[in-house]
Amino acid sequence: MAIPEDILKRIEQDFQAQANQAISLIEKALGTESFCFFSPRQLRCAVFVAEGNLVVLQQALQLGLTDCRDLMLWGEYTLQDGKYVRLHDWNLPFEVAQVS
């Protein structure tokens, strides 16, 4: 899978001088055999939670390889009053997605 353009733009924005390293981490994860596969939604979750931090990106990608549902929980939901509330819909590109 090619990395969608909106994700590449967000990587450049968030990681700046380390953008190439971030892309390399993602490409490596995309090439890994796992029962989970990376969809654009999952990649957006990983980039979003990383906030420009390569270590966090690596952790998010590893989580995605272990259980992609946990990655989506981390990237799209928050805990409010003991319940998970969805804040983001990363099925949509970064520039289109709305925060609830």
Side-chain angles (χ1 to χ4, degrees):
M1 171 182 85
I3 302 172
E5 189 63 33
D6 72 294
I7 296 173
L8 291 172
K9 286 180 185 176
R10 183 67 176 254
I11 290 168
E12 289 175 10
Q13 173 188 326
D14 288 359
F15 290 89
Q16 298 179 14
Q18 297 178 315
N20 287 337
Q21 291 172 275
I23 291 168
S24 292
L25 287 173
I26 291 170
E27 288 173 342
K28 182 179 177 184
L30 290 173
T32 303
E33 289 190 30
S34 172
F35 72 93
C36 282
F37 67 94
F38 282 102
S39 68
R41 177 185 182 191
Q42 294 159 349
L43 292 178
R44 287 184 191 101
C45 286
V47 171
F48 174 75
V49 300
E51 296 180 328
N53 184 315
L54 288 173
V55 173
V56 177
L57 178 62
Q58 178 64 44
Q59 292 169 340
L61 293 169
Q62 186 59 45
L63 181 62
L65 290 170
T66 305
D67 193 334
C68 49
R69 297 167 297 179
D70 287 339
L71 175 58
M72 290 183 287
L73 182 68
W74 189 16
E76 293 184 339
Y77 292 79
T78 191
L79 195 57
Q80 293 179 355
D81 299 323
K83 295 180 183 181
Y84 284 102
V85 176
R86 190 174 193 189
L87 296 180
H88 307 282
D89 181 359
W90 297 130
N91 284 303
L92 303 171
F94 281 118
E95 62 269 4
V96 177
Q98 297 294 315
V99 176
S100 301

